[in-house]
């Protein structure tokens, strides 16, 4: 296990699926200052409550005609998706959010940071301990199995095999075999519970390096947990990402990183909600709304799908042979075009989505069939002319 630490005053920066976390290290023994819990903002933007923060005050507007069609459509989509974005609030409820500045440096601040975004929900699986317990329980059951087998052999040797043929006759009075079977039943129940529970735990995916690095930077950068108790964040192979896996996988992070490199300020303005802005407080943390990023990603994938379908059609149309002597040469280019775009389409499905292998194969076959049918139609048209 590679050792790495944070020096006092060192800067740490990383990106996560929710954004970038950059923290400034604090000197040892520094006194932690606790800011106010936040500011509650009224409809005019004036603070009037010191303990909580109002994400958005919704004014009463009896006239529905003042709302644009885009606002209605946006709220309808968010209600359908069950999104918790702050813009989906369309009622007389003030959303109260605590800033990270409200929490004292230590476990309270780390818990608030982890709660700030699902991507930071990272905990240990304790696989070694689970396996150790399972091995002990397994051996205890093996020993009881051996004991029961010896009891059976002894009963058969003493010409009392009738007890092996009748449970009622064997268990009519308390005896060693009856007690052993009871112990085996209890141990098997305990073993099965541990085994099935461990199976579910092991099925939890490992967090991405970006998310693990972000949590590492926050813990060590703010010195919220002593080094001896913060070593668990380095147990990469034994960590579990509790949050639900995103549909587009690593492509979300790639898109977010690209947008941040192009224009960090514009990315925060467009993709960060008011709630996330309040939650981060004075911490240098880059968060974006998963819902807004997902909408943008869907737009990008829609444009990409249209390009992958229309561009090869245009190329195949331009490569139509005008004369019989061009059929062999241009026909080879047309087949090569279909091959390259089919390969690109299959790669896009595998990289940009979480489609299973059979789904990728089916979609690729359908895509290739469309191009081949178009090529056949163009060749028949030229032959008829």
């Amino acid at each position: 296990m590679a050792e790495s630490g944070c020096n006092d005053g060192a800067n740490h920066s990383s990106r996560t699926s929710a954004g970038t976390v950059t923290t400034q290290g604090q000197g040892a023994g520094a006194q932690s200052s606790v800011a106010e819990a936040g500011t509650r903002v009224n409809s005019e933007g004036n603070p009037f409550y010191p303990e909580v923060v109002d994400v958005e005050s919704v004014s009463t507007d009896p006239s529905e005609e003042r709302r644009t069609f885009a606002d209605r459509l946006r709220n309808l989509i968010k209600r359908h998706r069950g999104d918790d974005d702050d813009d989906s609030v369309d009622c007389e409820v003030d959303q109260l959010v605590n800033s990270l500045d409200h929490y004292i440096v230590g476990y309270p601040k780390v818990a608030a940071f982890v709660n700030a975004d699902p991507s930071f929900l990272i905990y240990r699986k304790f696989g070694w301990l689970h396996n150790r317990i399972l091995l002990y329980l397994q051996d205890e059951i093996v020993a009881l199995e051996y004991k029961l087998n010896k009891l059976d052999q002894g009963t058969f040797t003493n010409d009392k095999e009738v007890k092996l043929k009748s449970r009622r006759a064997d268990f009519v009075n308390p005896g060693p075999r009856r007690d052993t079977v009871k112990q085996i039943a209890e141990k098997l129940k305990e073993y099965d519970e541990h085994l099935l529970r461990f199976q579910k735990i092991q099925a939890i995916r490992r967090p991405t390096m970006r998310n693990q690095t972000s949590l590492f930077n926050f813990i060590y950068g703010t010195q919220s947990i002593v080094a001896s108790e913060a070593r668990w964040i380095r147990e990469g192979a034994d960590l579990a990402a509790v949050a639900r896996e995103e549909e587009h996988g690593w492509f979300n992070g790639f898109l977010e990183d690209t947008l941040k490199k192009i224009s960090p300020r514009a990315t925060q303005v467009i993709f960060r909600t008011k709630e996330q802005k309040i939650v981060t407080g004075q911490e240098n943390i880059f968060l974006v709304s998963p819902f807004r990023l997902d909408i943008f990603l869907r737009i990008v994938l829609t444009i990409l799908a249209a390009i992958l379908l229309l561009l090869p059609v245009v190329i195949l149309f331009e490569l139509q042979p005008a004369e019989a002597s061009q059929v062999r040469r241009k026909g080879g280019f047309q087949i090569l075009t279909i091959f390259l775009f089919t390969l690109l389409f299959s790669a896009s499905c595998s990289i940009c989505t979480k489609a299973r292998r059979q789904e990728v194969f089916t979609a690729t076959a359908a895509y290739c069939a469309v191009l081949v049918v178009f090529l056949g139609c163009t060749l028949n048209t030229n032959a008829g002319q």
Side-chain angles (χ1 to χ4, degrees), residues 59-300:
S59 60
T60 304
D61 186 4
S63 176
E64 288 291 327
E65 296 180 355
R66 296 183 182 180
R67 299 175 60 198
T68 64
F69 174 76
D71 292 335
R72 297 179 185 178
L73 181 61
R74 180 181 58 187
N75 290 333
L76 180 62
I77 293 175
K78 290 180 180 180
R79 288 197 192 99
H80 175 70
R81 289 175 56 88
D83 184 68
D84 294 331
D85 195 287
D86 64 298
D87 292 337
S88 64
V89 178
D90 190 24
C91 60
E92 295 293 333
V93 177
D94 295 338
Q95 302 300 305
L96 306 179
V97 181
N98 282 329
S99 169
L100 287 176
D101 301 331
H102 166 66
Y103 299 93
I104 302 175
V105 174
Y107 275 97
K109 200 175 191 69
V110 174
F113 174 77
V114 172
N115 190 55
D117 191 273
S119 301
F120 304 142
L121 295 174
I122 301 174
Y123 299 96
R124 282 195 61 183
K125 297 180 181 179
F126 293 103
W128 181 80
L129 292 177
H130 279 286
N131 286 313
R132 187 74 176 268
I133 297 299
L134 285 172
L135 288 172
Y136 282 165
L137 289 175
Q138 177 181 265
D139 186 68
E140 290 178 7
I141 295 174
V142 169
L144 291 172
E145 181 185 25
Y146 177 79
K147 179 180 179 181
L148 181 61
N149 187 45
K150 294 293 292 183
L151 290 173
D152 293 342
Q153 293 293 336
T155 301
F156 181 80
T157 303
N158 295 331
D159 296 331
K160 296 181 180 180
E161 63 273 12
V162 65
K163 292 186 176 181
L164 297 178
K165 299 179 181 180
S166 173
R167 185 198 63 83
R168 299 177 183 179
D170 189 25
F171 288 3
V172 64
N173 296 317
R177 185 167 25 247
R178 180 178 178 179
D179 295 338
T180 303
V181 170
K182 185 177 181 180
Q183 293 176 10
I184 291 176
E186 294 175 353
K187 284 297 178 181
L188 282 176
K189 180 180 179 181
E190 184 180 0
Y191 177 80
D192 293 342
E193 290 177 353
H194 277 82
L195 186 63
L196 294 176
R197 185 165 59 246
F198 186 51
Q199 180 190 35
K200 294 180 180 179
I201 294 175
Q202 284 298 99
I204 302 176
R205 64 185 177 89
R206 177 177 175 175
T208 62
M209 183 59 65
R210 301 166 72 249
N211 297 337
Q212 180 185 355
T213 304
S214 292
L215 185 56
F216 173 89
N217 287 342
F218 184 84
I219 292 176
Y220 279 88
T222 60
Q223 295 184 356
S224 296
I225 302 178
V226 296
S228 60
E229 298 182 22
R231 292 174 60 88
W232 63 270
I233 192 58
R234 305 181 196 175
E235 299 281 351
D238 195 49
L239 294 179
V242 181
R244 179 175 58 88
E245 188 174 8
E246 297 175 345
E247 178 183 357
H248 304 292
W250 67 269
F251 193 67
N252 285 38
F254 172 77
L255 180 61
E256 181 184 333
D257 293 343
T258 303
L259 293 173
K260 186 177 182 297
K261 290 179 181 178
I262 295 175
S263 178
R265 183 176 180 82
T267 302
Q268 285 195 345
V269 171
I270 298 174
F271 295 99
R272 186 173 65 171
T273 65
K274 294 179 182 179
E275 178 180 340
Q276 290 174 327
K277 183 178 180 180
I278 294 171
V279 168
T280 55
Q282 300 299 322
E283 299 289 344
N284 190 11
I285 300 174
F286 189 91
L287 295 177
V288 298
S289 170
F291 174 72
R292 296 184 181 183
L293 185 66
D294 184 69
I295 290 235
F296 182 77
L297 181 58
R298 290 176 184 275
I299 294 174
V300 172

